[in-house]
Structures are given as C-alpha cells and as structure tokens.
Amino acid sequence: MDQDHLFGDSPAGAQAPTDSSELVQRLAQLREQLQHHAHLYYTLDAPQIPDAEYDRLFKQLQALEEAHPELRTADSPTQRVLGKVLDGFAAVRHAMPMLSIRTETDTEASGALAFDARVRRELGLSETDPAIEYAAELKFDGLAINLRYEHGVLACAATRGDGEVGEDVTQNIRTIGQIPLRLHGAEPVVLEVRGEVYMRRDDFESLNERQRERGDKTFVNPRNAAAGAVRQLDPAIAAQRPLSFFAYGLGEVRGWDVPATHSALLDALQRMGLPVCAERTVAQGAEGPTGLVAFHRAMGARRDQLPFDIDGVVYKVNSRELQQRLGFVTREPRWAVAHKYPAQEQLTQVESIDIQVGRTGKLTPVARLKRVFVGGVTVTNATLHNLFEMRRKRVRVGDTVIVRRAGDVIPEVVGVVPVEGSAARTPYVPNFHMPRQCPVCASAVVREPGEVNHRCTGGLFCAAQRKQALLHFAQRRAVEVEGLGEKLVDQLVDGALVRTLPELYKLGVAKLAALDRMADKSAQNIVAALEKSKHTTLPRFLYGLGIRHVGEATAKDLARHFGQIDRIMDATEEQLLAVNDVGPIVAKSIRTFFDQPHNREVVEQLRSVGITWVEHEPVQVAQSSLPQAGKTFVLTGTLPSLSREEAKAMIEAAGGKVVGSVSKKTHYVVAGDEAGSKLDKARELGVSVIDEDELRALLHAEPRSDHGGA
Ligand SMILES: [Zn+2]
C-alpha cells in the first residue's frame, strides 16, 4: 500500500445510504476500518486485507464525504496521510516534502490517453500541436526512501513517513550494498535522491523458504518483507534480508545543476553510481509505437518475467520547464501519474482443500478457490505449502483469504481475512486434515520428526512419483539403463506404456520404435541396455529402489550386513539399527517402504523378469583385507596439516569410512582445533578420540595378518 493510492480520484463504489443516521454510522464504520488496517499495515507490518480492498474502502469514504462535506471530520483518514514514526527511530523532517503522485486505476489504454489529454489541456495545446515527450518508467512495489548526500557522502536515509516527517533508517540502508555511500565523480553541497527499496522476487522466495523450513512466520509479499527489513530496529537482522534499490527522483538540491529533462536526470544519477532501472523509455505522446500506451502494454506483458514486483508504470512529462509550468494540484504534481496494472493480491473464498502429490512424494495442501482475477490472470487454485503453515495462517475451508500471484510463482494463500465483528483470537478449529493415505496411490503417508512436509511412501508404485522413480532406478549409480533419459521416460509414462518398474523390462523393440523420434537402431539399443541392466549388484539394486534416506553408502552397508534382499525386506527396525550408520529415521523409512505390499510386489516382479544381482561389488572382497575395513571415522575441527578431503581420502584408502555424525557405532573421532559438539558427543558415548598423529599411525598400520595383506 504505497501512499499514492490515498489520492485516488475516481469516486467509485459510493452508494449513499438515504437515511442520515445510517450514513453517519456508515462513515464512522469506514473510518474505523481504514484506521485499523492502516495501523496493521504501517505500524505492525501485518496487513490483513489486500491493497485493492483498502483502496476500495478508502474511495467509498472519500466519495461519501464529497457528497456530504458537512459530515467530514478532522480525524478522517482522508484528511491526512497515515504512517506512524516507530518508537526507536529518530524522526526526520524532510527538507522537501515527499509527495505522492496521482494513481490512475483504469488499467486499460484509456488510462494513458486520459493523462495525455489532461496535460495537453493544462498546457493549452491544440490537436495540431506536436506530441508531448514523456519519461516512462516502472512503478516499483517497495518502500519509498530519501537518501541525503552531503558533499557526495551519504548523510541520512529516511522513510517517507507522513510525507513531512519520516524515520531515520540510515543504519539499515547502509547495509544495502547497491546504495553508494559516496557518489561517484560528484560532490554537490546537498543532493537528495529519492527511490524505492525493494526485495527481488527470488530473494523473497528464498527468504520465505528459510522461514518455512524453520517453522517461522513467512512474509506476505516482497514489499512487506522489504518494509519490515528497512524498519528493523536491529541492523544485523536488516543486513540478512536481501534488499535492492532503484533511484527515480530528487528532493532537496544545492550546488548541482539539475538536468533539463527527467530522462537526463536518471542518466546522471546512474553515472553517480546509483542503481536506475533499465526498463525505461522516452515516449512521444500517448498513442503510436513510441507512445505511453505501447509502453504500458509492453511492460504489462513482461511483468511476470521481471525479477521484482511492479504494480504499474509511471509517466512523467520529460521537460523540467514544462513540469514547472504544470505545477501541482493540492499535493500532487500535474505532470506525473502512476498507471496501474491489475492487483497481484485479491480476496476470494476457499471452496475446498485438496492434496497434490509431487514428483518427490511431497504432499502439498492446495486451496480450491472461487475463481478470482489476480495479477492479470484467473486463478482457481493456490498453494498452502504445508500443514503447519496452513495452521499458522489459520486457514479453513469456507474462509475468505488473500491470494497472491506474482511472476511465474505458483499462486499462494498469504492470509485469512477475519470475519467482521468476530474477536481477533477466536479459537482456530481446523476443518481439514492430512490424509493418512496418498490420494494418488493409497500408500501410507508419513511425516518424519523435525520435518514440516508429509510424504507418500509409495515410491515406485505412486503414479505421481513414477517418472522420478524410473529415472532414479535407471541412473548410472543405480542399475544403469543407458539411454533411458527424461524425454523417453516422459513418453513412456505419459503414453501409459510403463506403469510399474517391471513393465520397463517388457517393452519390446516394436513398442519402442513406435515412439516419436525413435529410430529402430535406438530402440534396439534401449532393449540391449535393459538386458544389460539385469545383471547388477545388490547395493545398486537397493539404491535404485529409491527408498527415502537410503543413499549409495547406506545401500552398501545394508548389502554387506544382510547379504540378501529378502533379509532386508523382513528385517525389524531393531535389526536394521544394528547396521553401521543406520539410525532410527533410516530404519523406520526402510521398514515403512517394505511394509507396503506393492513395494514387495515390485521387487518380486523385477526378479521374475530376470533381474539378478551379486551381493557385493567385486572390490568389496579386496577391501575387507585393508587395515581399517569396516571402521567408521568422524572428522571434527581443523587438523594441523591435513585438509578434511585429504584425511577422508587417506581413511578411505585404508578401507575405512568417514561419516557425518557420532554414534555408538563410530570407531574413532578424529579431533583437531576448535572441535565442537561432535567431540562432546564422542566423550559422552565413550568413543575413542584421536588426533592427526594418531590417525596417521593408525592408517599406516600393517594389514591384518589373517587376511594375508592387501
Ligand atoms: Zn502416492
């Protein structure tokens, strides 16, 4: 909610009640609502309604007051620009007020035509006079900031506040790398640069992803995250939030000749080292290939591909001389306008909540919405990310929610609009529950301790995971089917030629050759590769099954320990825990996988199509005679002369294995300087702790005599 919208000019949506006491009541209600939401937005950075909804209420109030000026009150939100100086920030009186520009909410071409016509009228131009030159740029969706440079050095950075008095946020602004602390090649007595602090969409997504993984509160949109960071009282936290900046105008200037046009001013600012957005142009008039309408359209089409949010474009009469002739009306310049695009956040209702199963088996709750137009497209679904986030936002079926769609990011539900009149903290009783079975394949759904996501355990059997499972099975490190890549897997699965892993082995040359762009020769190669893949090893086969948490190393350990697949399939969690490096999470994951009858079935069928495996990689035999065969090591701290990689290579060359965490089964902890919690853990568990010298001694030991040497 940039303050620009507070000056909207179209008195839309005003339906004056006839009864006067009813009218007074309605006005009071609107003022209270607007004050409440402005407080949530400006002071608490926690808006509950989208900007478009705020604008609608504001305009309703404005229109009612215009129709009944006698009912206007001094404390009405229409009478002042809101924005409270937070405790903890020093107030800064702006040398020149930070005004806002008028907003054109007509998102069609007519919005640009109307502005051009108004400017021409004000200047007394006739139809035969030449087109007006405009500087056209983007309207960034961030936080307006005034940067005050004195003798070329950044002296103060302040928020807009109420336009007259803002907050001193210099400390936080200094953490934004893009903002020069000293101007390049210029030292005017005073140069105030105005612009927008914003957060790139990818930075915003990864910030929210981190918040989500930690189970922390996520931010509603990039603008809010940016505003929160700028007004963060702790600069260290502000510095962790990735912010960017674009310059677009001036405040006070002393001792510097301001260029004659706005476009030349932006060029000059850029030369001084200030970031200026490249997406700008000099337009001639409103119509034609170089006009405002064309710019509005072109940027509208590219809006989703831009790396940051915009909510419109801005037109400014390019000539400063003409700007001065046009002057101001109330507090807005007549020579500029912001021409909006459809809002990226809207209100709608959650009709139901479904589950979507992803390629990795992750279950995502998705809200099915009453169709709504957001950011230029119709949206009917929005992601709720995971059960925990959904609960934190208190989303329920039937609720009115704010949906956000920006860029190519999947639309998401960012919050719930509380029912009017209901207490803010009514108890939340969810009316949606995670299914216990996968809606695609009916396999068990699990959530591991410490994880926020629920997952389907179906693996190979789950249609949603089939492509991923086939590629995993066929990769070089698993059973290796040469030539079975993504494109072929897409064709096989989409064409329903392969529904289960064993069906892969029933494809003949004829079926394969019938596929798009598949020559006979390639089909023969694939069949040959499939034949070859039938002779594999147990670790590769196990790894290829794609059991969660069973990587190559664990697959080798399991094969070494149990020797046969049937013994692994039937092992209890306790028996699995006896394997090197297998902890409770891995043991449970293996057990859950083989508890699914269809997963056992897949193994049986693969056997029946002729897959055979030897129990170990041939090299294992030789390894068992190495001095440290079967021994596990944990490295911690900095060793005096060996890098971690060197130490690891030495240990492995001696047949040992390096693992990440200390358990009772760890044989040695090799500790260097500044060893941390792993050392404590080792002592607690009574695991041998050795230093680099002892490690070297150990690795140079003679091979065990009973195996006759390496
Ligand atoms: Zn499933």
Side-chain angles (χ1 to χ4, degrees), residues 552-558 560 579-582 623 628-635 647-648 650-660 666-668 670 699:
E552 282 176 279
T554 309
K556 279 180 192 164
D557 287 339
L558 288 166
R560 198 178 294 145
V579 181
N580 261 346
D581 230 12
V582 169
Q623 270 187 4
Q628 300 306 328
K631 294 278 165 45
T632 57
F633 292 73
V634 171
L635 299 170
K648 183 166 187 254
M650 280 172 60
I651 291 166
E652 285 174 352
K657 204 171 80 166
V658 176
V659 299
T666 308
H667 293 92
Y668 299 103
V670 187
L699 299 183

Short mmCIF file of all heavy atoms in Angstrom, two decimals, residues 552-558 560 579-582 623 628-635 647-648 650-660 666-668 670 699:
data_model
loop_
_atom_site.label_atom_id
_atom_site.label_comp_id
_atom_site.label_asym_id
_atom_site.label_seq_id
_atom_site.Cartn_x
_atom_site.Cartn_y
_atom_site.Cartn_z
N GLU A 552 23.65 -44.27 -1.64
CA GLU A 552 24.56 -45.33 -2.07
C GLU A 552 25.30 -45.98 -0.91
O GLU A 552 25.44 -47.19 -0.85
CB GLU A 552 25.59 -44.75 -3.04
CG GLU A 552 25.07 -44.54 -4.43
CD GLU A 552 26.14 -43.89 -5.28
OE1 GLU A 552 26.27 -42.65 -5.16
OE2 GLU A 552 26.84 -44.59 -6.01
N ALA A 553 25.77 -45.14 0.02
CA ALA A 553 26.59 -45.67 1.12
C ALA A 553 25.75 -46.59 2.01
O ALA A 553 26.19 -47.68 2.38
CB ALA A 553 27.17 -44.52 1.94
N THR A 554 24.54 -46.13 2.32
CA THR A 554 23.67 -46.95 3.18
C THR A 554 23.30 -48.25 2.47
O THR A 554 23.25 -49.31 3.09
CB THR A 554 22.40 -46.16 3.55
OG1 THR A 554 22.80 -44.90 4.07
CG2 THR A 554 21.56 -46.90 4.57
N ALA A 555 23.06 -48.16 1.14
CA ALA A 555 22.72 -49.37 0.38
C ALA A 555 23.86 -50.38 0.47
O ALA A 555 23.64 -51.58 0.65
CB ALA A 555 22.43 -49.00 -1.07
N LYS A 556 25.11 -49.89 0.41
CA LYS A 556 26.27 -50.79 0.51
C LYS A 556 26.33 -51.43 1.90
O LYS A 556 26.58 -52.62 2.04
CB LYS A 556 27.56 -50.01 0.26
CG LYS A 556 27.85 -49.82 -1.21
CD LYS A 556 29.14 -49.05 -1.41
CE LYS A 556 29.26 -48.61 -2.86
NZ LYS A 556 30.27 -47.57 -3.04
N ASP A 557 26.10 -50.60 2.94
CA ASP A 557 26.13 -51.11 4.31
C ASP A 557 25.08 -52.20 4.52
O ASP A 557 25.34 -53.22 5.14
CB ASP A 557 25.87 -49.98 5.30
CG ASP A 557 27.07 -49.05 5.42
OD1 ASP A 557 28.19 -49.48 5.06
OD2 ASP A 557 26.89 -47.89 5.85
N LEU A 558 23.88 -51.92 3.97
CA LEU A 558 22.79 -52.89 4.14
C LEU A 558 23.13 -54.20 3.44
O LEU A 558 22.93 -55.29 3.99
CB LEU A 558 21.49 -52.33 3.55
CG LEU A 558 20.82 -51.19 4.34
CD1 LEU A 558 19.75 -50.52 3.49
CD2 LEU A 558 20.23 -51.72 5.64
N ARG A 560 26.06 -55.36 2.72
CA ARG A 560 27.16 -56.01 3.41
C ARG A 560 26.65 -56.72 4.67
O ARG A 560 27.05 -57.83 4.98
CB ARG A 560 28.20 -54.95 3.79
CG ARG A 560 29.56 -55.50 4.12
CD ARG A 560 30.52 -54.37 4.43
NE ARG A 560 30.79 -53.51 3.28
CZ ARG A 560 30.98 -52.19 3.37
NH1 ARG A 560 30.93 -51.57 4.53
NH2 ARG A 560 31.23 -51.49 2.30
N VAL A 579 22.94 -52.02 11.79
CA VAL A 579 23.82 -51.76 10.64
C VAL A 579 24.57 -50.46 10.88
O VAL A 579 24.01 -49.50 11.40
CB VAL A 579 22.99 -51.66 9.33
CG1 VAL A 579 23.89 -51.40 8.13
CG2 VAL A 579 22.17 -52.93 9.14
N ASN A 580 25.84 -50.46 10.48
CA ASN A 580 26.66 -49.26 10.54
C ASN A 580 25.91 -48.06 10.02
O ASN A 580 25.39 -48.10 8.91
CB ASN A 580 27.85 -49.45 9.58
CG ASN A 580 29.07 -49.86 10.33
OD1 ASN A 580 29.12 -49.77 11.55
ND2 ASN A 580 30.07 -50.32 9.58
N ASP A 581 25.89 -46.98 10.78
CA ASP A 581 25.41 -45.72 10.22
C ASP A 581 23.90 -45.67 9.97
O ASP A 581 23.41 -44.70 9.41
CB ASP A 581 26.12 -45.44 8.88
CG ASP A 581 26.66 -44.02 8.88
OD1 ASP A 581 26.68 -43.42 9.98
OD2 ASP A 581 27.05 -43.53 7.83
N VAL A 582 23.18 -46.71 10.34
CA VAL A 582 21.73 -46.65 10.18
C VAL A 582 21.11 -46.19 11.50
O VAL A 582 21.28 -46.84 12.53
CB VAL A 582 21.14 -48.03 9.77
CG1 VAL A 582 19.62 -48.03 9.87
CG2 VAL A 582 21.56 -48.36 8.34
N GLN A 623 38.66 -55.03 -0.27
CA GLN A 623 38.64 -54.02 0.78
C GLN A 623 38.65 -54.60 2.18
O GLN A 623 39.21 -54.02 3.09
CB GLN A 623 37.40 -53.14 0.63
CG GLN A 623 37.70 -51.95 -0.25
CD GLN A 623 36.54 -50.99 -0.27
OE1 GLN A 623 35.56 -51.19 0.43
NE2 GLN A 623 36.66 -49.98 -1.10
N GLN A 628 41.74 -50.80 7.87
CA GLN A 628 40.62 -50.18 8.58
C GLN A 628 39.26 -50.60 8.02
O GLN A 628 38.27 -49.90 8.21
CB GLN A 628 40.76 -48.65 8.54
CG GLN A 628 42.03 -48.13 9.18
CD GLN A 628 42.20 -48.62 10.61
OE1 GLN A 628 41.22 -48.83 11.32
NE2 GLN A 628 43.44 -48.84 11.02
N ALA A 629 39.23 -51.74 7.32
CA ALA A 629 37.98 -52.19 6.71
C ALA A 629 36.87 -52.24 7.75
O ALA A 629 37.06 -52.78 8.84
CB ALA A 629 38.16 -53.55 6.06
N GLY A 630 35.73 -51.64 7.42
CA GLY A 630 34.58 -51.70 8.32
C GLY A 630 34.61 -50.70 9.46
O GLY A 630 33.68 -50.63 10.24
N LYS A 631 35.70 -49.93 9.55
CA LYS A 631 35.80 -48.97 10.65
C LYS A 631 35.21 -47.62 10.21
O LYS A 631 35.42 -47.18 9.09
CB LYS A 631 37.27 -48.77 11.06
CG LYS A 631 37.89 -50.03 11.66
CD LYS A 631 37.52 -50.15 13.13
CE LYS A 631 37.76 -51.50 13.76
NZ LYS A 631 39.01 -52.15 13.48
N THR A 632 34.49 -46.97 11.12
CA THR A 632 33.94 -45.65 10.78
C THR A 632 34.63 -44.55 11.56
O THR A 632 34.97 -44.73 12.73
CB THR A 632 32.43 -45.56 11.06
OG1 THR A 632 32.21 -45.86 12.41
CG2 THR A 632 31.64 -46.49 10.18
N PHE A 633 34.84 -43.44 10.89
CA PHE A 633 35.55 -42.29 11.44
C PHE A 633 34.66 -41.06 11.33
O PHE A 633 33.91 -40.92 10.37
CB PHE A 633 36.84 -42.01 10.64
CG PHE A 633 37.89 -43.08 10.78
CD1 PHE A 633 37.72 -44.32 10.16
CD2 PHE A 633 39.05 -42.84 11.50
CE1 PHE A 633 38.70 -45.30 10.27
CE2 PHE A 633 40.02 -43.82 11.61
CZ PHE A 633 39.84 -45.05 11.01
N VAL A 634 34.79 -40.18 12.32
CA VAL A 634 34.14 -38.88 12.22
C VAL A 634 35.24 -37.83 12.35
O VAL A 634 36.09 -37.91 13.22
CB VAL A 634 33.09 -38.68 13.34
CG1 VAL A 634 32.59 -37.24 13.36
CG2 VAL A 634 31.93 -39.64 13.14
N LEU A 635 35.25 -36.87 11.42
CA LEU A 635 36.24 -35.80 11.46
C LEU A 635 35.60 -34.56 12.08
O LEU A 635 34.49 -34.19 11.73
CB LEU A 635 36.71 -35.46 10.05
CG LEU A 635 37.38 -36.61 9.29
CD1 LEU A 635 37.57 -36.24 7.83
CD2 LEU A 635 38.72 -36.95 9.93
N ALA A 647 42.26 -36.05 4.64
CA ALA A 647 42.07 -37.03 5.71
C ALA A 647 41.08 -38.10 5.28
O ALA A 647 41.28 -39.30 5.49
CB ALA A 647 41.59 -36.32 6.98
N LYS A 648 40.01 -37.64 4.63
CA LYS A 648 38.96 -38.56 4.19
C LYS A 648 39.53 -39.56 3.17
O LYS A 648 39.31 -40.77 3.26
CB LYS A 648 37.82 -37.76 3.57
CG LYS A 648 36.63 -38.58 3.12
CD LYS A 648 35.42 -37.69 2.84
CE LYS A 648 34.20 -38.53 2.55
NZ LYS A 648 33.81 -38.55 1.15
N MET A 650 42.62 -40.51 2.81
CA MET A 650 43.54 -41.44 3.47
C MET A 650 42.78 -42.56 4.19
O MET A 650 43.16 -43.73 4.12
CB MET A 650 44.42 -40.69 4.49
CG MET A 650 45.59 -39.96 3.85
SD MET A 650 46.45 -38.90 5.04
CE MET A 650 46.99 -40.11 6.26
N ILE A 651 41.72 -42.15 4.88
CA ILE A 651 40.93 -43.14 5.63
C ILE A 651 40.29 -44.14 4.66
O ILE A 651 40.33 -45.35 4.87
CB ILE A 651 39.86 -42.43 6.49
CG1 ILE A 651 40.53 -41.65 7.62
CG2 ILE A 651 38.86 -43.45 7.05
CD1 ILE A 651 39.63 -40.65 8.32
N GLU A 652 39.76 -43.61 3.57
CA GLU A 652 39.09 -44.49 2.62
C GLU A 652 40.07 -45.42 1.92
O GLU A 652 39.76 -46.57 1.64
CB GLU A 652 38.28 -43.66 1.61
CG GLU A 652 37.02 -43.13 2.25
CD GLU A 652 36.24 -42.18 1.35
OE1 GLU A 652 36.75 -41.82 0.27
OE2 GLU A 652 35.12 -41.82 1.75
N ALA A 653 41.26 -44.90 1.66
CA ALA A 653 42.28 -45.74 1.02
C ALA A 653 42.64 -46.92 1.92
O ALA A 653 43.06 -47.97 1.45
CB ALA A 653 43.51 -44.90 0.71
N ALA A 654 42.46 -46.72 3.23
CA ALA A 654 42.76 -47.79 4.18
C ALA A 654 41.53 -48.66 4.45
O ALA A 654 41.54 -49.50 5.34
CB ALA A 654 43.29 -47.19 5.48
N GLY A 655 40.45 -48.41 3.70
CA GLY A 655 39.26 -49.25 3.83
C GLY A 655 38.24 -48.71 4.81
O GLY A 655 37.16 -49.27 4.97
N GLY A 656 38.57 -47.61 5.49
CA GLY A 656 37.63 -47.04 6.47
C GLY A 656 36.60 -46.17 5.79
O GLY A 656 36.63 -45.96 4.58
N LYS A 657 35.68 -45.68 6.61
CA LYS A 657 34.61 -44.86 6.07
C LYS A 657 34.46 -43.62 6.94
O LYS A 657 34.57 -43.70 8.15
CB LYS A 657 33.31 -45.66 6.07
CG LYS A 657 32.32 -45.16 5.06
CD LYS A 657 31.15 -46.08 4.93
CE LYS A 657 30.20 -45.81 6.06
NZ LYS A 657 28.89 -46.38 5.89
N VAL A 658 34.22 -42.47 6.29
CA VAL A 658 34.02 -41.24 7.04
C VAL A 658 32.54 -40.92 7.05
O VAL A 658 31.91 -40.87 6.01
CB VAL A 658 34.82 -40.08 6.41
CG1 VAL A 658 34.52 -38.77 7.15
CG2 VAL A 658 36.31 -40.39 6.47
N VAL A 659 31.98 -40.73 8.25
CA VAL A 659 30.56 -40.41 8.36
C VAL A 659 30.40 -39.05 9.04
O VAL A 659 31.36 -38.50 9.58
CB VAL A 659 29.77 -41.49 9.12
CG1 VAL A 659 29.86 -42.82 8.40
CG2 VAL A 659 30.26 -41.61 10.55
N GLY A 660 29.20 -38.53 8.98
CA GLY A 660 28.97 -37.16 9.43
C GLY A 660 28.70 -36.99 10.91
O GLY A 660 29.05 -35.98 11.50
N THR A 666 30.37 -45.47 16.02
CA THR A 666 31.56 -44.81 15.49
C THR A 666 32.80 -45.41 16.14
O THR A 666 32.82 -45.62 17.36
CB THR A 666 31.52 -43.30 15.80
OG1 THR A 666 30.27 -42.80 15.35
CG2 THR A 666 32.64 -42.55 15.11
N HIS A 667 33.82 -45.74 15.33
CA HIS A 667 35.04 -46.31 15.91
C HIS A 667 35.99 -45.24 16.41
O HIS A 667 36.57 -45.37 17.48
CB HIS A 667 35.73 -47.22 14.90
CG HIS A 667 34.92 -48.46 14.60
ND1 HIS A 667 34.03 -48.52 13.55
CD2 HIS A 667 34.85 -49.65 15.23
CE1 HIS A 667 33.45 -49.71 13.54
NE2 HIS A 667 33.93 -50.42 14.56
N TYR A 668 36.20 -44.18 15.61
CA TYR A 668 37.13 -43.13 16.01
C TYR A 668 36.57 -41.75 15.67
O TYR A 668 36.01 -41.56 14.60
CB TYR A 668 38.46 -43.26 15.26
CG TYR A 668 39.18 -44.56 15.51
CD1 TYR A 668 39.15 -45.57 14.56
CD2 TYR A 668 39.91 -44.75 16.70
CE1 TYR A 668 39.81 -46.77 14.78
CE2 TYR A 668 40.58 -45.95 16.92
CZ TYR A 668 40.52 -46.96 15.96
OH TYR A 668 41.17 -48.12 16.18
N VAL A 670 38.22 -38.19 14.96
CA VAL A 670 39.50 -37.53 14.76
C VAL A 670 39.27 -36.04 15.03
O VAL A 670 38.54 -35.38 14.29
CB VAL A 670 40.00 -37.73 13.31
CG1 VAL A 670 41.40 -37.17 13.17
CG2 VAL A 670 39.95 -39.21 12.94
N LEU A 699 46.61 -45.44 10.27
CA LEU A 699 46.42 -45.74 8.86
C LEU A 699 47.64 -46.42 8.25
O LEU A 699 47.56 -47.12 7.26
CB LEU A 699 46.08 -44.47 8.08
CG LEU A 699 44.78 -43.78 8.51
CD1 LEU A 699 44.49 -42.58 7.64
CD2 LEU A 699 43.60 -44.75 8.48
#
